[in-house]
Amino acid sequence: MSPPVAPPGWSRWLVPPAALSVHLSIGQAYAWSVFKPPLESALGLSGTQSALPFQLGIVMLGLSAAFGGTLVERHGPRWAMTVTLVCFSSGFLLSALGAAVEQYWLIVLGYGFVGGIGLGIGYISPVSTLIKWFPDRPGMATGIAIMGFGGGALIASPWSAQMLESFGSDSSGIALAFLVHGLTYAVFMLLGVLLVRVPRPKEGAGGPAALSGVQVSARGAMRTPQFWLLWIVLCMNVTAGIGILEKAAPMITDFFADTSIPVSATAAAGFVALLSAANMAGRIGWSSTSDLIGRKNIYRVYLGVGALMYTLIALFGDSSKPLFVLCALVVLSFYGGGFATIPAYLKDLFGTYQVGAIHGRLLTAWSTAGVLGPLIVNWIADRQEEAGRHGASLYGTSFVIMIGLLVVGFVANELVRPVHPRHHVSVDPAPKEAADVRRQQPESA
């Protein structure tokens, strides 16, 4: 499948909505915590076990992005979005079957493994295309699209909660909810598949530009200390954010279970939706701010202020709902902003030549964080519960660990320097782009 080249006069502002249709769909992953309590009740799972599909999904996201990044660069965004549609929707259908027959391994396989492949390919599918369409504002461009991944749960969380209320929270109700998700997201993502285009070469002012300045190949980037420092930065930031996000609904319920005003299941689902809104707003807001103040400075904010927010939750979170919610929202806005800013950070350091493939490889940090964050929070909470503790005391140790990880990320960001010229490559993209245009002439006419 050749990348569909935009015809003359095509507006670059049509590309972000195409990316959003995919990212809003796969962003459902952030609403997984809504399914955790029903699954635990219906199938007799622990908190650690019910996190497994989400954890595996994030692992597969990073791995498929790493191994598929070069394929996305070669075949273009339409191919990638099609693969995403098939894998992500099929994952829900397999999960529906698993819930219906009460075979949890099928849910893990479907949502975690098959759906996770769709997550990874879908996540990176528009990144390099958007950077090429918006070379003048890369942070804003990637933020617009990637905010959809953060905002997916804003739709999916209340929608899923309503379906579970309507269909029931037993295994058959969960199966029906999974089925509706799979079919609906397939239709929605199809819109993006049909709409997306890659830029024509030499579009002129405001459009895609030829490759200039520092350019580093994906293979070369992995030999630089800058790549691995950013890997640490992303991993630490993601671990801290995902630690709250994956267990958001049960966490806020536990924190205030012993107070005079406990948190209901509906309010907990609303909290997940609020976190999704913060995640989404951070992706466009903070990434656009990075165009003004620079990538290193914005990561100083993400990691430094993030550590402060975790400290406030650990010390005072159980005494004030507004403080707990506010600090969690700030942490999640930094979590989302970190994802949206990292492609522009990579572009600044390595150029646009293979930025999609480099981004895919860097997302292995997300895979690691997808295991670390939920594992730290769930495992420690389970152990504390076995020891007879309850409420906010289930999470104190986890939060101290998260503060330490954010400090490690802060130090790594301080060590980032420009890439040494020995890693630079000379790139002439014109022949390939011209060939793509020639192949697309009948379609573009």
Side-chain angles (χ1 to χ4, degrees):
M1 181 184 293
S2 299
V5 179
W10 183 268
S11 173
R12 63 179 181 168
W13 292 101
L14 292 173
V15 180
L20 273 173
S21 72
V22 171
H23 273 234
L24 280 170
S25 298
I26 62 177
Q28 183 281 333
Y30 284 143
W32 177 253
S33 65
V34 175
F35 285 103
K36 280 172 64 70
L39 282 169
E40 290 167 16
S41 176
L43 302 180
L45 307 173
S46 68
T48 303
Q49 289 172 323
S50 67
L52 186 56
F54 177 82
Q55 287 178 286
L56 181 57
I58 298 302
V59 169
M60 293 309 301
L61 185 159
L63 293 178
S64 60
F67 289 105
T70 303
L71 292 175
V72 173
E73 290 282 335
R74 182 181 305 150
H75 298 297
R78 176 170 289 178
W79 173 87
M81 290 179 179
T82 302
V83 171
T84 301
L85 186 158
V86 172
C87 290
F88 191 67
S89 295
S90 297
F92 265 116
L93 299 183
L94 275 173
S95 298
L97 176 62
V101 299
E102 299 187 3
Q103 293 294 316
Y104 187 57
W105 68 271
L106 273 174
I107 299 176
V108 175
L109 174 67
Y111 191 93
F113 184 80
V114 178
I117 294 173
L119 288 178
I121 300 299
Y123 190 84
I124 63 173
S125 62
V127 169
S128 64
T129 301
L130 283 164
I131 288 177
K132 290 169 185 174
W133 274 111
F134 294 87
D136 48 335
R137 285 176 284 181
M140 180 214 69
T142 54
I144 288 175
I146 292 176
M147 77 173 182
F149 193 89
L154 186 62
I155 299 169
S157 180
W159 182 38
S160 300
Q162 182 59 49
M163 277 195 285
L164 290 171
E165 185 177 333
S166 301
F167 301 151
S169 57
D170 58 357
S171 59
S172 60
I174 296 170
L176 189 53
F178 283 155
L179 177 63
V180 172
H181 275 79
L183 297 178
T184 303
Y185 284 135
V187 173
F188 193 58
M189 283 189 282
L190 183 61
L191 300 176
V193 171
L194 298 175
L195 185 61
V196 73
R197 297 287 187 278
V198 296
R200 299 172 66 85
K202 300 177 183 178
E203 284 283 324
L211 300 184
S212 60
V214 174
Q215 300 297 332
V216 181
S217 68
R219 181 176 296 180
M222 294 188 69
R223 296 177 180 145
T224 67
Q226 288 82 356
F227 176 89
W228 295 106
L229 287 169
L230 288 187
W231 192 97
I232 293 170
V233 167
L234 184 63
C235 185
M236 299 302 99
N237 194 54
V238 173
T239 300
I242 215 168
I244 290 179
L245 192 58
E246 186 275 334
K247 202 174 175 65
M251 181 182 290
I252 193 171
T253 302
D254 290 337
F255 248 79
F256 299 99
D258 298 330
T259 67
S260 58
I261 310 176
V263 176
S264 67
T266 302
F271 175 62
V272 175
L274 276 178
L275 292 180
S276 177
N279 189 352
M280 179 174 63
R283 290 172 188 244
I284 182 62
W286 293 122
S287 62
S288 296
T289 302
S290 77
D291 287 335
L292 302 175
I293 70 173
R295 320 304 171 195
K296 178 176 281 192
N297 285 333
I298 202 68
Y299 272 96
R300 286 169 173 152
V301 174
Y302 297 156
L303 299 160
V305 180
L308 175 62
M309 294 298 102
Y310 254 112
T311 301
L312 290 174
I313 294 176
L315 294 177
F316 310 111
D318 59 340
S319 62
S320 171
K321 281 184 187 177
L323 177 65
F324 178 90
V325 172
L326 177 62
C327 291
L329 292 177
V330 172
V331 169
L332 263 295
S333 77
F334 292 160
Y335 170 81
F339 277 123
T341 310
I342 204 70
Y345 209 162
L346 292 172
K347 179 257 183 189
D348 293 347
L349 289 171
F350 303 112
T352 59
Y353 169 46
Q354 290 188 332
V355 68
I358 297 170
H359 184 223
R361 286 162 170 76
L362 193 76
L363 289 181
T364 54
W366 194 355
S367 294
T368 304
V371 173
L372 282 179
L375 182 62
I376 290 169
V377 174
N378 285 289
W379 186 84
I380 292 176
D382 286 346
R383 300 292 80 75
Q384 297 282 30
E385 191 170 9
E386 289 173 3
R389 296 183 178 87
H390 52 82
S393 61
L394 297 175
Y395 304 98
T397 304
S398 301
F399 288 175
V400 172
I401 293 173
M402 297 303 179
I403 293 167
L405 293 178
L406 286 168
V407 171
V408 171
F410 188 94
V411 172
N413 182 54
E414 292 301 305
L415 296 175
V416 174
R417 298 289 186 271
V419 176
H420 194 279
R422 71 173 177 270
H423 298 291
H424 298 179
V425 296
S426 178
V427 181
D428 179 11
K432 179 182 183 300
E433 291 183 344
D436 286 340
V437 172
R438 284 195 297 272
R439 285 196 299 270
Q440 294 295 323
Q441 285 303 325
E443 178 181 331
S444 302

